[in-house]
Amino acid sequence: MTKKNLNIIDGVKIIKKNVITDDRGKILHMLKSNDEEFLKFGEIYFSYVFPKKIKAWHIHKKMTLNYVAAYGKIKLVLYDDRAKSPTLGKVQEIFLSNDSHSLVVIPPLIWNGFTSADDNLAILANCSDIPHDKLEISRLSYDDPKFPYDWNIIK
């Protein structure tokens, strides 16, 4: 995992996770019930993103997101527009992959989106603290002028 933009959004955690490798393959840890950052189990889902496609922007009112790259390379972008946040107006870019395996914990009310960081399919896993509820999520287009971010992708 590398960070192009060193602005860390208040409340976001990036945690290096264990990787166990042998001649048969790898085990990539994500989240255990006794991890400090574990709140409770809501659901696990996998979000596929095709090359040169963008899944942005969305914000959860109640859900805490726990993201890892399940496959491929992912560019995850966060934007903080919380009125009383010390990082109001900040953008954070985080690159996730199996080569540098990390968990990103995103609290509620942080806008986020992601794309494949190369020309291949990527899969983002989320182990959220509540089940998906379409009433607690809001979405805006990746190119909405609200966000001071250019995805730099040929659409």
Side-chain angles (χ1 to χ4, degrees), residues 17-142:
K17 299 304 285 187
N18 288 337
V19 177
I20 301 168
T21 305
D22 65 21
D23 63 335
R24 301 167 297 162
K26 291 181 181 182
I27 294 173
L28 302 171
H29 284 241
M30 182 174 182
L31 197 58
K32 296 185 280 192
S33 63
N34 62 348
D35 285 345
E36 178 183 323
E37 56 278 359
F38 179 81
L39 300 175
K40 63 181 182 176
F41 177 76
E43 72 173 323
I44 295 174
Y45 65 82
F46 302 89
S47 185
Y48 284 56
V49 61
F50 297 119
K52 296 185 176 35
K53 299 297 180 181
I54 302 165
K55 290 193 169 187
W57 293 94
H58 68 277
I59 189 170
H60 290 275
K61 297 174 190 110
K62 299 176 186 174
M63 183 185 289
T64 296
L65 306 169
N66 293 288
Y67 283 164
V68 296
Y71 180 81
K73 296 178 181 177
I74 293 169
K75 177 168 69 168
L76 171 64
V77 183
L78 311 176
Y79 176 67
D80 188 359
D81 73 344
R82 298 171 293 174
K84 296 183 180 182
S85 172
T87 53
L88 173 65
K90 298 291 184 186
V91 172
Q92 184 175 358
E93 240 183 16
I94 303 166
F95 290 86
L96 300 170
S97 74
N98 298 148
D99 297 331
S100 183
H101 186 59
S102 295
L103 170 72
V104 179
V105 180
I106 305 168
L109 302 175
I110 302 290
W111 287 95
N112 71 94
F114 58 93
T115 187
S116 173
D118 59 22
D119 290 329
N120 299 297
L121 169 78
I123 303 172
L124 186 73
N126 180 24
C127 180
S128 63
D129 66 335
I130 62 173
H132 177 78
D133 174 357
K134 65 182 179 182
L135 299 178
E136 72 86 44
I137 188 173
S138 295
R139 298 179 188 279
L140 290 173
S141 176
Y142 74 90

